[in-house]
Amino acid sequence: MPEQGREQWASRLGFILAAMGSAVGLGNVWRFSYVTGENGGAAFLLIYLACIILIGIPIVMAEFTIGRKAQSDAVGSFEKLAPGKPWKAAGLMGVAAAFMILSFYGVIAGWIVYYFINYLTGNLWTAPAEGYEGFFVDFITNPWHPLLWQFIFMALTIAIVYVGVKKGIERANKILMPLLGILLVVLSIYSLTLGGASEGLAFLFTPDWSALGDPSIYIAALGQAFFSLSLGMGALITYGGYLSQKEHLPGAAYSVAGLDTLFAIVAGVMIFPAVFAFGIEPDAGPGLVFMIMPDVFDSIGFGGGLFGLAFFFLLAAAALTSAVSLLEVAVAYFIRKFSWSRKKAAFIIGGIIFLIGIPSSLGNGILGNVTIIGDRGILDSMDYVASNIFLPLGGLIIAVFMGWGWKKADALRDSDFGDTVLGNLWLFLLRFLAPIAIFLIFLSSIGLFG
Ligand code: PHE
């Protein structure tokens, strides 16, 4: 029985759309492009794809199965299915990860909203005096402008969670996500005409095998796979918990993972040819999309600004549906655990997350000299810890919980796999390959095999 007063998705499509809306976001465009750029391109992409198929999809399935079975939030699901056992640590880490990830997600999404407004006013239709790169740097180093836009984006996120995820997002996902997909395809075709096509495609698709010797690209690929799939922190458990009727879970998992990966690859084909055409370094970091895309729109000539307007609008919408799923993980937990109303939880938790994000927001301006992990600034350090450590660790626990903590027959039945080859392969991946691979990648990232 679902808990009292819990929402349910309106339709079968509602769940898939919501899960896709969670998965497709800044991770596919902003994060995928800059992390791929920093990690040398094609070799990284290959490991990323392996992580998606061998580790990501099996854990997506585990989260869906746990969520639908338990009909509760990220922590409550474990408490319900395994009372008194320590598995719920994964859920608590997930809630912590939601706070961390949304804190900086709101900052980057704020940048996107700012760019949208600048295309709306026409300000960026032609290059400003200081150039597009200069414009970006001026903005992110300003003492308070990034904060304002982070605030606006977080207010929107809170407003949607406040009225309830179901009403808030099912409709937006149905219309805006396909539009974003179409726009990315159109822009990637255009980008291939800009003169950097061969270099850009080679960067993305022709692996430099020697890069595989660098342990840091494995953890980066693993973290990107988890981040992009919204995996390892109970977001998909939480959404699965709003599932009422019979849903074929494996089909849903393949669709979500497939679509999410497609978005990332198309975004890569859009960005990297342009990176080479306009002579920007692929490893320019988190500002990559902001520095490159305005050049692309500018080069379209008359009307190019409209593409910029649509691009930043649709990307902001995609970011919003992802941010909603992040906030929902924490909100659903607080509603149940402390019997808060949805409104109170959305407001308070969202507010706290905004505050936690302030240092990330100021990390290019007045806090610009602060580095935490290696030479990473505040935002990048948050991202690194949450995405590369918390998410995979949460995923590892979820994999072991499903693979070893459930009776095999129950797992096969509750996942809708049944006793099939795929079902058994799934359990094998959860039991052995995923946990061992995550563990080894952790070890290698702390230099154990170096
Ligand atoms: N997957 C989202 C994106 O790509 C981010 C996200 C991570 C959302 C974790 C929920 C949980 O933008």
Side-chain angles (χ1 to χ4, degrees):
M1 273 298 285
E3 281 157 22
Q4 264 270 298
R6 279 176 69 80
E7 290 185 87
Q8 304 258 296
W9 301 113
S11 62
R12 175 174 179 275
L13 208 58
F15 167 70
I16 296 205
L17 283 171
M20 285 175 173
S22 170
V24 174
L26 298 179
N28 306 67
V29 180
W30 162 74
R31 198 175 190 284
F32 175 78
S33 59
Y34 103 76
V35 176
T36 303
E38 276 184 345
N39 286 280
F44 168 86
L45 180 60
L46 217 58
I47 301 174
Y48 166 70
L49 293 177
C51 288
I52 294 274
I53 294 169
L54 298 173
I55 303 173
I57 294 176
I59 301 179
V60 168
M61 269 305 295
E63 287 207 22
F64 282 177
T65 306
I66 293 168
R68 185 179 62 184
K69 179 89 184 165
Q71 298 278 311
S72 186
D73 56 82
V75 181
S77 293
F78 291 99
E79 285 173 345
K80 227 172 184 171
L81 298 174
K85 303 256 176 62
W87 298 109
K88 71 169 183 185
L92 290 167
M93 271 180 43
V95 174
F99 275 84
M100 292 171 76
I101 294 179
L102 186 52
S103 78
F104 70 80
Y105 204 88
V107 174
I108 306 291
W111 299 359
I112 301 275
V113 177
Y114 177 68
Y115 269 65
F116 163 65
I117 297 294
N118 274 277
Y119 274 96
L120 195 63
T121 61
N123 193 26
L124 284 179
W125 286 45
T126 51
E130 66 278 24
Y132 287 116
E133 277 190 68
F135 176 85
F136 175 68
V137 172
D138 284 351
F139 168 58
I140 62 168
T141 54
N142 185 282
W144 60 274
H145 286 174
L147 211 58
L148 171 70
W149 297 97
Q150 176 207 1
F151 178 82
I152 291 173
F153 179 82
M154 286 304 296
L156 288 171
T157 306
I158 292 169
I160 294 179
V161 174
Y162 190 92
V163 297
V165 276
K166 197 191 88 191
K167 275 177 254 158
I169 59 176
E170 282 188 46
R171 217 164 314 147
N173 283 335
K174 213 178 298 184
I175 302 164
L176 299 181
M177 202 173 19
L179 284 181
L180 176 64
I182 294 169
L183 182 66
L184 292 184
V185 169
V186 170
L187 287 173
S188 62
I189 293 170
Y190 172 71
S191 176
L192 290 171
T193 68
L194 289 176
S198 56
E199 270 174 292
L201 292 178
F203 181 80
L204 201 54
F205 297 119
T206 311
D208 163 16
W209 299 110
S210 69
L212 294 179
D214 176 359
S216 66
I217 84 171
Y218 295 89
I219 188 103
L222 183 70
Q224 175 60 23
F226 272 84
F227 186 95
S228 195
L229 291 172
S230 304
L231 199 58
M233 52 168 284
L236 303 179
I237 294 181
T238 305
Y239 272 15
Y242 301 131
L243 259 177
S244 53
Q245 66 258 70
K246 209 74 185 128
E247 162 87 39
H248 188 64
L249 294 183
Y254 306 144
S255 320
V256 172
L259 188 85
D260 186 65
T261 309
L262 194 64
F263 263 90
I265 292 176
V266 173
V269 174
M270 172 183 78
I271 287 166
F272 287 105
V275 162
F276 289 96
F278 294 110
I280 289 186
E281 291 304 319
D283 61 356
L288 189 64
V289 183
F290 297 91
M291 296 194 287
I292 201 73
M293 291 313 292
D295 276 327
V296 172
F297 303 130
D298 197 334
S299 74
I300 294 176
F302 182 73
L306 283 177
F307 283 91
L309 183 66
F311 176 79
F312 286 106
F313 173 72
L314 293 171
L315 197 54
L320 197 57
T321 54
S322 299
V324 162
S325 74
L326 283 158
L327 183 55
E328 181 65 16
V329 169
V331 162
Y333 170 66
F334 278 81
I335 290 177
R336 178 189 57 85
K337 180 83 183 171
F338 303 104
S339 306
W340 287 4
S341 69
R342 167 166 288 278
K343 292 186 163 51
K344 177 175 172 187
F347 199 68
I348 294 182
I349 308 295
I352 292 174
I353 292 174
F354 167 73
L355 295 177
I356 299 175
I358 289 178
S360 292
S361 204
L362 302 179
N364 298 293
I366 47 184
L367 298 178
N369 294 324
V370 181
T371 56
I372 300 177
I373 298 180
D375 57 1
R376 289 181 183 82
I378 300 170
L379 189 152
D380 299 25
S381 299
M382 277 282 198
D383 186 0
Y384 189 89
V385 173
S387 311
N388 294 0
I389 300 173
F390 273 56
L391 297 185
L393 198 56
L396 190 153
I397 301 175
I398 291 168
V400 173
F401 174 67
M402 186 95 245
W404 297 98
W406 283 31
K407 285 207 203 75
K408 186 175 168 191
D410 290 352
L412 290 174
R413 186 198 55 226
D414 293 335
S415 62
D416 302 336
F417 267 124
D419 196 356
T420 56
V421 176
L422 269 182
N424 285 286
L425 175 65
W426 172 60
L427 281 181
F428 170 80
L429 294 173
L430 285 182
R431 284 181 171 177
F432 300 103
L433 193 123
I436 294 173
I438 294 172
F439 189 65
L440 289 179
I441 291 174
F442 277 151
L443 290 186
S444 80
S445 77
I446 53 174
L448 217 73
F449 307 131

